[in-house]
PDB file of all heavy atoms in Angstrom:
ATOM      1  N   GLY C 999       2.065  -1.405  33.651  1.00 56.00           N
ATOM      2  CA  GLY C 999       3.143  -1.404  32.667  1.00 56.00           C
ATOM      3  C   GLY C 999       2.625  -1.434  31.247  1.00 56.00           C
ATOM      4  O   GLY C 999       3.313  -1.015  30.336  1.00 56.00           O
ATOM      5  N   SER C1000       1.464  -1.940  31.040  1.00 66.00           N
ATOM      6  CA  SER C1000       0.884  -1.833  29.701  1.00 66.00           C
ATOM      7  C   SER C1000      -0.548  -1.374  29.854  1.00 66.00           C
ATOM      8  O   SER C1000      -1.210  -1.675  30.836  1.00 66.00           O
ATOM      9  CB  SER C1000       0.907  -3.174  28.998  1.00 66.00           C
ATOM     10  OG  SER C1000      -0.108  -4.006  29.499  1.00 66.00           O
ATOM     11  N   THR C1001      -0.982  -0.602  28.899  1.00 80.00           N
ATOM     12  CA  THR C1001      -2.340  -0.084  28.973  1.00 80.00           C
ATOM     13  C   THR C1001      -3.081  -0.447  27.706  1.00 80.00           C
ATOM     14  O   THR C1001      -3.072   0.304  26.733  1.00 80.00           O
ATOM     15  CB  THR C1001      -2.315   1.438  29.142  1.00 80.00           C
ATOM     16  OG1 THR C1001      -1.358   1.972  28.226  1.00 80.00           O
ATOM     17  CG2 THR C1001      -1.975   1.816  30.541  1.00 80.00           C
ATOM     18  N   TRP C1002      -3.686  -1.579  27.721  1.00 89.00           N
ATOM     19  CA  TRP C1002      -4.481  -2.011  26.571  1.00 89.00           C
ATOM     20  C   TRP C1002      -5.945  -1.651  26.801  1.00 89.00           C
ATOM     21  O   TRP C1002      -6.452  -1.802  27.907  1.00 89.00           O
ATOM     22  CB  TRP C1002      -4.371  -3.523  26.370  1.00 89.00           C
ATOM     23  CG  TRP C1002      -2.981  -4.016  26.103  1.00 89.00           C
ATOM     24  CD1 TRP C1002      -2.275  -4.903  26.851  1.00 89.00           C
ATOM     25  CD2 TRP C1002      -2.133  -3.687  24.996  1.00 89.00           C
ATOM     26  NE1 TRP C1002      -1.056  -5.146  26.285  1.00 89.00           N
ATOM     27  CE2 TRP C1002      -0.936  -4.397  25.141  1.00 89.00           C
ATOM     28  CE3 TRP C1002      -2.278  -2.848  23.891  1.00 89.00           C
ATOM     29  CZ2 TRP C1002       0.104  -4.321  24.245  1.00 89.00           C
ATOM     30  CZ3 TRP C1002      -1.235  -2.757  22.993  1.00 89.00           C
ATOM     31  CH2 TRP C1002      -0.059  -3.479  23.171  1.00 89.00           C
ATOM     32  N   SER C1003      -6.571  -1.189  25.756  1.00 90.00           N
ATOM     33  CA  SER C1003      -8.008  -0.938  25.836  1.00 90.00           C
ATOM     34  C   SER C1003      -8.732  -2.274  25.945  1.00 90.00           C
ATOM     35  O   SER C1003      -8.156  -3.322  25.638  1.00 90.00           O
ATOM     36  CB  SER C1003      -8.462  -0.193  24.593  1.00 90.00           C
ATOM     37  OG  SER C1003      -8.527  -1.081  23.503  1.00 90.00           O
ATOM     38  N   PRO C1004      -9.963  -2.235  26.375  1.00 89.00           N
ATOM     39  CA  PRO C1004     -10.719  -3.496  26.483  1.00 89.00           C
ATOM     40  C   PRO C1004     -10.743  -4.275  25.170  1.00 89.00           C
ATOM     41  O   PRO C1004     -10.567  -5.491  25.158  1.00 89.00           O
ATOM     42  CB  PRO C1004     -12.131  -3.009  26.857  1.00 89.00           C
ATOM     43  CG  PRO C1004     -11.919  -1.721  27.547  1.00 89.00           C
ATOM     44  CD  PRO C1004     -10.709  -1.096  26.912  1.00 89.00           C
ATOM     45  N   ARG C1005     -10.924  -3.537  24.088  1.00 91.00           N
ATOM     46  CA  ARG C1005     -10.954  -4.216  22.791  1.00 91.00           C
ATOM     47  C   ARG C1005      -9.627  -4.889  22.507  1.00 91.00           C
ATOM     48  O   ARG C1005      -9.556  -6.000  21.969  1.00 91.00           O
ATOM     49  CB  ARG C1005     -11.246  -3.187  21.680  1.00 91.00           C
ATOM     50  CG  ARG C1005     -11.575  -3.802  20.341  1.00 91.00           C
ATOM     51  CD  ARG C1005     -12.941  -4.441  20.397  1.00 91.00           C
ATOM     52  NE  ARG C1005     -13.338  -5.012  19.098  1.00 91.00           N
ATOM     53  CZ  ARG C1005     -13.513  -6.299  18.887  1.00 91.00           C
ATOM     54  NH1 ARG C1005     -13.298  -7.165  19.849  1.00 91.00           N
ATOM     55  NH2 ARG C1005     -13.929  -6.742  17.711  1.00 91.00           N
ATOM     56  N   GLU C1006      -8.549  -4.202  22.868  1.00 94.00           N
ATOM     57  CA  GLU C1006      -7.225  -4.756  22.620  1.00 94.00           C
ATOM     58  C   GLU C1006      -6.994  -5.990  23.471  1.00 94.00           C
ATOM     59  O   GLU C1006      -6.453  -6.997  23.007  1.00 94.00           O
ATOM     60  CB  GLU C1006      -6.160  -3.687  22.898  1.00 94.00           C
ATOM     61  CG  GLU C1006      -6.127  -2.617  21.817  1.00 94.00           C
ATOM     62  CD  GLU C1006      -5.393  -1.364  22.242  1.00 94.00           C
ATOM     63  OE1 GLU C1006      -5.215  -1.144  23.456  1.00 94.00           O
ATOM     64  OE2 GLU C1006      -4.999  -0.603  21.359  1.00 94.00           O
ATOM     65  N   VAL C1007      -7.421  -5.904  24.717  1.00 94.00           N
ATOM     66  CA  VAL C1007      -7.279  -7.070  25.592  1.00 94.00           C
ATOM     67  C   VAL C1007      -8.030  -8.251  24.986  1.00 94.00           C
ATOM     68  O   VAL C1007      -7.533  -9.380  24.951  1.00 94.00           O
ATOM     69  CB  VAL C1007      -7.814  -6.748  27.002  1.00 94.00           C
ATOM     70  CG1 VAL C1007      -7.922  -8.016  27.827  1.00 94.00           C
ATOM     71  CG2 VAL C1007      -6.902  -5.741  27.686  1.00 94.00           C
ATOM     72  N   GLU C1008      -9.205  -7.966  24.479  1.00 95.00           N
ATOM     73  CA  GLU C1008     -10.009  -9.022  23.868  1.00 95.00           C
ATOM     74  C   GLU C1008      -9.261  -9.670  22.702  1.00 95.00           C
ATOM     75  O   GLU C1008      -9.198 -10.901  22.579  1.00 95.00           O
ATOM     76  CB  GLU C1008     -11.323  -8.396  23.386  1.00 95.00           C
ATOM     77  CG  GLU C1008     -12.415  -9.384  23.054  1.00 95.00           C
ATOM     78  CD  GLU C1008     -13.659  -8.637  22.607  1.00 95.00           C
ATOM     79  OE1 GLU C1008     -13.811  -7.451  22.998  1.00 95.00           O
ATOM     80  OE2 GLU C1008     -14.460  -9.220  21.853  1.00 95.00           O
ATOM     81  N   LEU C1009      -8.692  -8.810  21.860  1.00 96.00           N
ATOM     82  CA  LEU C1009      -7.946  -9.338  20.714  1.00 96.00           C
ATOM     83  C   LEU C1009      -6.754 -10.164  21.175  1.00 96.00           C
ATOM     84  O   LEU C1009      -6.467 -11.231  20.619  1.00 96.00           O
ATOM     85  CB  LEU C1009      -7.477  -8.173  19.826  1.00 96.00           C
ATOM     86  CG  LEU C1009      -8.584  -7.455  19.047  1.00 96.00           C
ATOM     87  CD1 LEU C1009      -8.053  -6.179  18.412  1.00 96.00           C
ATOM     88  CD2 LEU C1009      -9.148  -8.382  17.973  1.00 96.00           C
ATOM     89  N   LEU C1010      -6.073  -9.679  22.183  1.00 96.00           N
ATOM     90  CA  LEU C1010      -4.897 -10.403  22.658  1.00 96.00           C
ATOM     91  C   LEU C1010      -5.288 -11.744  23.270  1.00 96.00           C
ATOM     92  O   LEU C1010      -4.582 -12.737  23.104  1.00 96.00           O
ATOM     93  CB  LEU C1010      -4.145  -9.550  23.679  1.00 96.00           C
ATOM     94  CG  LEU C1010      -3.479  -8.295  23.096  1.00 96.00           C
ATOM     95  CD1 LEU C1010      -2.771  -7.518  24.183  1.00 96.00           C
ATOM     96  CD2 LEU C1010      -2.513  -8.667  21.985  1.00 96.00           C
TER      97      LEU C1010
END
Side-chain angles (χ1 to χ4, degrees):
Chain C
S1000 76
T1001 45
W1002 299 120
S1003 76
R1005 192 71 178 115
E1006 287 163 341
V1007 169
E1008 195 179 336
L1009 289 170
L1010 292 180

